[in-house]
Amino acid sequence: MMIAMFGPRANAVKRKRIAVLGPKSRTTRPAAVHKIFPYLLRDRAIKRPHLVCCADIICIPIGHAFLYLLTFMDRANWTVLAWRLSNTTDVSFGVEAIDQALVHFGHGDLQHRPG
């Protein structure tokens, strides 16, 4: 296909140009079977600390292994309430970080209750 498209210049075409001509990934299109959950904080002003908290996990490559840093943060001022570092993605280190944040800072005003 490349020879037919570019003729005698086919050998001069770089790899990047070939990648541009190839099939495109469709990773940003949601599948029809996946439920889209609403963003609950869209119209809510976060005016004071301990109103809304969030968690984030970061994968840190170290040599041939990885470390996982989980932080539990306050969304009002982006302070880190608790953190844990682990070499596995076991759920226990995340639960420990959240428990530590709740012991030291208490429960926030907003709590998610499924159902």
Side-chain angles (χ1 to χ4, degrees), residues 9 12-14 17 19 23 31 33 35 37 42 45 50 62 67 76 83-84 86 89-90 92-93 101 106 108 110 113:
R9 298 182 311 145
V13 176
K14 303 280 186 201
R17 178 70 181 148
V33 296
K35 182 178 179 183
F37 293 94
R42 183 174 317 280
H50 303 297
I62 297 186
L67 286 178
W83 63 274
R84 284 287 185 269
S86 176
T89 55
D90 187 24
S92 63
F93 86 103
L110 294 179
R113 297 177 196 264

mmCIF file of all heavy atoms in Angstrom, residues 9 12-14 17 19 23 31 33 35 37 42 45 50 62 67 76 83-84 86 89-90 92-93 101 106 108 110 113:
data_model
loop_
_atom_site.group_PDB
_atom_site.id
_atom_site.type_symbol
_atom_site.label_atom_id
_atom_site.label_comp_id
_atom_site.label_asym_id
_atom_site.label_seq_id
_atom_site.Cartn_x
_atom_site.Cartn_y
_atom_site.Cartn_z
ATOM 1 N N ARG A 9 9.164 7.258 -3.788
ATOM 2 C CA ARG A 9 9.541 7.889 -2.518
ATOM 3 C C ARG A 9 9.168 7.035 -1.313
ATOM 4 O O ARG A 9 9.308 7.463 -0.180
ATOM 5 C CB ARG A 9 8.851 9.244 -2.367
ATOM 6 C CG ARG A 9 9.244 10.236 -3.430
ATOM 7 C CD ARG A 9 8.569 11.578 -3.226
ATOM 8 N NE ARG A 9 7.139 11.424 -3.003
ATOM 9 C CZ ARG A 9 6.427 12.191 -2.192
ATOM 10 N NH1 ARG A 9 7.003 13.160 -1.546
ATOM 11 N NH2 ARG A 9 5.143 12.007 -2.033
ATOM 12 N N ALA A 12 11.602 6.685 1.560
ATOM 13 C CA ALA A 12 11.947 7.910 2.288
ATOM 14 C C ALA A 12 10.928 8.251 3.380
ATOM 15 O O ALA A 12 11.150 9.155 4.164
ATOM 16 C CB ALA A 12 12.046 9.075 1.305
ATOM 17 N N VAL A 13 9.852 7.531 3.436
ATOM 18 C CA VAL A 13 8.809 7.827 4.417
ATOM 19 C C VAL A 13 9.267 7.362 5.805
ATOM 20 O O VAL A 13 9.736 6.248 5.969
ATOM 21 C CB VAL A 13 7.486 7.128 4.029
ATOM 22 C CG1 VAL A 13 6.436 7.354 5.107
ATOM 23 C CG2 VAL A 13 7.001 7.639 2.701
ATOM 24 N N LYS A 14 9.141 8.217 6.776
ATOM 25 C CA LYS A 14 9.569 7.914 8.139
ATOM 26 C C LYS A 14 8.517 7.083 8.869
ATOM 27 O O LYS A 14 7.360 7.029 8.488
ATOM 28 C CB LYS A 14 9.794 9.211 8.915
ATOM 29 C CG LYS A 14 10.781 10.135 8.281
ATOM 30 C CD LYS A 14 12.164 9.699 8.589
ATOM 31 C CE LYS A 14 13.123 10.749 8.050
ATOM 32 N NZ LYS A 14 14.420 10.237 7.854
ATOM 33 N N ARG A 17 5.321 8.964 10.014
ATOM 34 C CA ARG A 17 4.336 9.198 8.957
ATOM 35 C C ARG A 17 3.488 7.943 8.730
ATOM 36 O O ARG A 17 2.292 8.030 8.508
ATOM 37 C CB ARG A 17 5.048 9.602 7.664
ATOM 38 C CG ARG A 17 4.141 9.814 6.502
ATOM 39 C CD ARG A 17 3.311 11.061 6.700
ATOM 40 N NE ARG A 17 2.432 11.201 5.542
ATOM 41 C CZ ARG A 17 1.242 11.728 5.575
ATOM 42 N NH1 ARG A 17 0.782 12.201 6.706
ATOM 43 N NH2 ARG A 17 0.505 11.824 4.512
ATOM 44 N N ALA A 19 2.778 5.724 11.017
ATOM 45 C CA ALA A 19 1.883 5.616 12.161
ATOM 46 C C ALA A 19 0.683 6.545 12.021
ATOM 47 O O ALA A 19 -0.429 6.201 12.405
ATOM 48 C CB ALA A 19 2.636 5.919 13.449
ATOM 49 N N PRO A 23 -4.423 2.852 11.477
ATOM 50 C CA PRO A 23 -5.710 2.957 12.168
ATOM 51 C C PRO A 23 -5.582 3.740 13.465
ATOM 52 O O PRO A 23 -4.558 3.695 14.137
ATOM 53 C CB PRO A 23 -6.091 1.504 12.434
ATOM 54 C CG PRO A 23 -4.815 0.756 12.394
ATOM 55 C CD PRO A 23 -3.921 1.488 11.445
ATOM 56 N N ALA A 31 -17.825 2.831 25.896
ATOM 57 C CA ALA A 31 -18.597 1.696 25.402
ATOM 58 C C ALA A 31 -20.059 1.878 25.808
ATOM 59 O O ALA A 31 -20.362 2.476 26.846
ATOM 60 C CB ALA A 31 -18.046 0.396 25.972
ATOM 61 N N VAL A 33 -22.131 -0.247 26.910
ATOM 62 C CA VAL A 33 -22.546 -1.030 28.078
ATOM 63 C C VAL A 33 -22.047 -0.432 29.395
ATOM 64 O O VAL A 33 -22.515 -0.824 30.458
ATOM 65 C CB VAL A 33 -22.062 -2.492 27.972
ATOM 66 C CG1 VAL A 33 -22.704 -3.179 26.798
ATOM 67 C CG2 VAL A 33 -20.557 -2.563 27.878
ATOM 68 N N LYS A 35 -21.764 2.195 32.343
ATOM 69 C CA LYS A 35 -22.580 3.250 32.936
ATOM 70 C C LYS A 35 -21.716 4.487 33.182
ATOM 71 O O LYS A 35 -20.587 4.379 33.657
ATOM 72 C CB LYS A 35 -23.174 2.758 34.249
ATOM 73 C CG LYS A 35 -24.067 3.770 34.919
ATOM 74 C CD LYS A 35 -24.670 3.224 36.194
ATOM 75 C CE LYS A 35 -25.532 4.290 36.833
ATOM 76 N NZ LYS A 35 -26.087 3.852 38.099
ATOM 77 N N PHE A 37 -21.258 7.669 35.386
ATOM 78 C CA PHE A 37 -21.704 8.195 36.660
ATOM 79 C C PHE A 37 -21.626 9.723 36.648
ATOM 80 O O PHE A 37 -20.702 10.307 36.083
ATOM 81 C CB PHE A 37 -20.838 7.647 37.798
ATOM 82 C CG PHE A 37 -21.010 6.174 37.995
ATOM 83 C CD1 PHE A 37 -20.162 5.270 37.394
ATOM 84 C CD2 PHE A 37 -22.047 5.701 38.770
ATOM 85 C CE1 PHE A 37 -20.329 3.919 37.560
ATOM 86 C CE2 PHE A 37 -22.234 4.345 38.955
ATOM 87 C CZ PHE A 37 -21.370 3.445 38.347
ATOM 88 N N ARG A 42 -19.977 19.048 40.649
ATOM 89 C CA ARG A 42 -19.993 20.052 39.578
ATOM 90 C C ARG A 42 -20.546 21.403 40.043
ATOM 91 O O ARG A 42 -19.963 22.445 39.803
ATOM 92 C CB ARG A 42 -20.805 19.535 38.400
ATOM 93 C CG ARG A 42 -20.801 20.479 37.222
ATOM 94 C CD ARG A 42 -21.486 19.920 36.007
ATOM 95 N NE ARG A 42 -21.171 18.540 35.726
ATOM 96 C CZ ARG A 42 -20.064 18.096 35.124
ATOM 97 N NH1 ARG A 42 -19.159 18.970 34.755
ATOM 98 N NH2 ARG A 42 -19.865 16.825 34.908
ATOM 99 N N ALA A 45 -19.795 24.368 45.682
ATOM 100 C CA ALA A 45 -18.612 25.156 46.051
ATOM 101 C C ALA A 45 -17.964 24.520 47.279
ATOM 102 O O ALA A 45 -18.631 24.231 48.266
ATOM 103 C CB ALA A 45 -19.007 26.588 46.356
ATOM 104 N N HIS A 50 -12.306 19.925 55.196
ATOM 105 C CA HIS A 50 -13.046 18.758 55.681
ATOM 106 C C HIS A 50 -14.457 18.667 55.113
ATOM 107 O O HIS A 50 -15.309 18.006 55.677
ATOM 108 C CB HIS A 50 -13.091 18.716 57.207
ATOM 109 C CG HIS A 50 -11.742 18.718 57.833
ATOM 110 N ND1 HIS A 50 -10.833 17.706 57.632
ATOM 111 C CD2 HIS A 50 -11.125 19.631 58.613
ATOM 112 C CE1 HIS A 50 -9.729 17.985 58.287
ATOM 113 N NE2 HIS A 50 -9.871 19.147 58.889
ATOM 114 N N ILE A 62 10.816 2.020 40.083
ATOM 115 C CA ILE A 62 12.125 1.985 40.728
ATOM 116 C C ILE A 62 12.846 0.751 40.209
ATOM 117 O O ILE A 62 12.517 -0.372 40.596
ATOM 118 C CB ILE A 62 11.997 1.943 42.255
ATOM 119 C CG1 ILE A 62 11.323 3.211 42.745
ATOM 120 C CG2 ILE A 62 13.346 1.747 42.899
ATOM 121 C CD1 ILE A 62 11.260 3.354 44.226
ATOM 122 N N LEU A 67 6.716 1.129 43.123
ATOM 123 C CA LEU A 67 6.169 1.481 44.422
ATOM 124 C C LEU A 67 4.873 2.240 44.171
ATOM 125 O O LEU A 67 4.750 2.978 43.195
ATOM 126 C CB LEU A 67 7.133 2.358 45.222
ATOM 127 C CG LEU A 67 8.349 1.665 45.801
ATOM 128 C CD1 LEU A 67 9.228 2.671 46.521
ATOM 129 C CD2 LEU A 67 7.948 0.557 46.751
ATOM 130 N N ALA A 76 -10.401 21.177 49.687
ATOM 131 C CA ALA A 76 -10.496 22.621 49.875
ATOM 132 C C ALA A 76 -9.137 23.292 49.735
ATOM 133 O O ALA A 76 -9.002 24.309 49.058
ATOM 134 C CB ALA A 76 -11.103 22.940 51.234
ATOM 135 N N TRP A 83 -0.972 9.335 54.010
ATOM 136 C CA TRP A 83 -0.365 8.703 52.844
ATOM 137 C C TRP A 83 0.225 7.364 53.248
ATOM 138 O O TRP A 83 0.548 7.133 54.397
ATOM 139 C CB TRP A 83 0.686 9.598 52.209
ATOM 140 C CG TRP A 83 1.844 9.898 53.107
ATOM 141 C CD1 TRP A 83 1.923 10.897 54.029
ATOM 142 C CD2 TRP A 83 3.080 9.182 53.185
ATOM 143 N NE1 TRP A 83 3.134 10.847 54.681
ATOM 144 C CE2 TRP A 83 3.869 9.800 54.170
ATOM 145 C CE3 TRP A 83 3.604 8.079 52.519
ATOM 146 C CZ2 TRP A 83 5.134 9.355 54.496
ATOM 147 C CZ3 TRP A 83 4.870 7.636 52.853
ATOM 148 C CH2 TRP A 83 5.623 8.285 53.821
ATOM 149 N N ARG A 84 0.350 6.493 52.291
ATOM 150 C CA ARG A 84 0.961 5.181 52.490
ATOM 151 C C ARG A 84 1.759 4.821 51.247
ATOM 152 O O ARG A 84 1.382 5.153 50.132
ATOM 153 C CB ARG A 84 -0.092 4.088 52.717
ATOM 154 C CG ARG A 84 -0.716 4.083 54.073
ATOM 155 C CD ARG A 84 0.294 3.571 55.094
ATOM 156 N NE ARG A 84 -0.291 3.432 56.401
ATOM 157 C CZ ARG A 84 -0.286 4.375 57.323
ATOM 158 N NH1 ARG A 84 0.242 5.527 57.086
ATOM 159 N NH2 ARG A 84 -0.818 4.161 58.501
ATOM 160 N N SER A 86 3.584 1.461 49.283
ATOM 161 C CA SER A 86 3.569 0.001 49.269
ATOM 162 C C SER A 86 4.206 -0.509 47.986
ATOM 163 O O SER A 86 4.251 0.198 46.973
ATOM 164 C CB SER A 86 2.127 -0.499 49.362
ATOM 165 O OG SER A 86 2.079 -1.903 49.270
ATOM 166 N N THR A 89 -0.245 -3.706 45.201
ATOM 167 C CA THR A 89 -1.497 -2.953 45.097
ATOM 168 C C THR A 89 -2.583 -3.588 45.960
ATOM 169 O O THR A 89 -3.756 -3.535 45.638
ATOM 170 C CB THR A 89 -1.968 -2.879 43.639
ATOM 171 O OG1 THR A 89 -2.071 -4.209 43.128
ATOM 172 C CG2 THR A 89 -1.038 -2.061 42.793
ATOM 173 N N ASP A 90 -2.162 -4.148 47.066
ATOM 174 C CA ASP A 90 -3.102 -4.738 48.003
ATOM 175 C C ASP A 90 -3.980 -3.641 48.601
ATOM 176 O O ASP A 90 -3.539 -2.506 48.803
ATOM 177 C CB ASP A 90 -2.323 -5.462 49.107
ATOM 178 C CG ASP A 90 -3.226 -6.252 50.024
ATOM 179 O OD1 ASP A 90 -4.323 -6.621 49.593
ATOM 180 O OD2 ASP A 90 -2.810 -6.508 51.165
ATOM 181 N N SER A 92 -5.109 -3.292 51.539
ATOM 182 C CA SER A 92 -4.885 -2.978 52.955
ATOM 183 C C SER A 92 -4.156 -1.652 53.153
ATOM 184 O O SER A 92 -4.456 -0.922 54.100
ATOM 185 C CB SER A 92 -4.122 -4.103 53.638
ATOM 186 O OG SER A 92 -2.844 -4.247 53.067
ATOM 187 N N PHE A 93 -3.215 -1.313 52.287
ATOM 188 C CA PHE A 93 -2.487 -0.056 52.512
ATOM 189 C C PHE A 93 -3.375 1.148 52.233
ATOM 190 O O PHE A 93 -3.211 2.206 52.829
ATOM 191 C CB PHE A 93 -1.164 -0.026 51.741
ATOM 192 C CG PHE A 93 -1.228 0.447 50.322
ATOM 193 C CD1 PHE A 93 -0.815 1.718 49.982
ATOM 194 C CD2 PHE A 93 -1.676 -0.388 49.310
ATOM 195 C CE1 PHE A 93 -0.840 2.152 48.672
ATOM 196 C CE2 PHE A 93 -1.699 0.027 48.010
ATOM 197 C CZ PHE A 93 -1.284 1.302 47.688
ATOM 198 N N ALA A 101 -6.407 8.939 58.293
ATOM 199 C CA ALA A 101 -6.966 10.273 58.058
ATOM 200 C C ALA A 101 -8.229 10.481 58.888
ATOM 201 O O ALA A 101 -8.432 11.563 59.454
ATOM 202 C CB ALA A 101 -7.265 10.461 56.576
ATOM 203 N N GLY A 106 -11.080 13.290 61.518
ATOM 204 C CA GLY A 106 -12.515 13.086 61.654
ATOM 205 C C GLY A 106 -13.199 12.923 60.299
ATOM 206 O O GLY A 106 -12.576 13.045 59.244
ATOM 207 N N GLY A 108 -15.666 13.940 57.239
ATOM 208 C CA GLY A 108 -16.095 15.166 56.571
ATOM 209 C C GLY A 108 -17.611 15.285 56.607
ATOM 210 O O GLY A 108 -18.324 14.417 57.087
ATOM 211 N N LEU A 110 -19.588 15.577 53.897
ATOM 212 C CA LEU A 110 -20.193 14.812 52.808
ATOM 213 C C LEU A 110 -19.775 13.370 52.916
ATOM 214 O O LEU A 110 -18.595 13.070 52.992
ATOM 215 C CB LEU A 110 -19.761 15.363 51.447
ATOM 216 C CG LEU A 110 -20.238 16.763 51.100
ATOM 217 C CD1 LEU A 110 -19.713 17.150 49.748
ATOM 218 C CD2 LEU A 110 -21.738 16.839 51.136
ATOM 219 N N ARG A 113 -23.284 7.430 50.478
ATOM 220 C CA ARG A 113 -24.068 6.295 50.973
ATOM 221 C C ARG A 113 -24.715 5.625 49.769
ATOM 222 O O ARG A 113 -25.658 6.159 49.204
ATOM 223 C CB ARG A 113 -25.130 6.761 51.953
ATOM 224 C CG ARG A 113 -24.534 7.379 53.188
ATOM 225 C CD ARG A 113 -25.631 7.899 54.102
ATOM 226 N NE ARG A 113 -25.061 8.802 55.063
ATOM 227 C CZ ARG A 113 -24.691 8.454 56.282
ATOM 228 N NH1 ARG A 113 -24.776 7.216 56.650
ATOM 229 N NH2 ARG A 113 -24.211 9.347 57.105
#
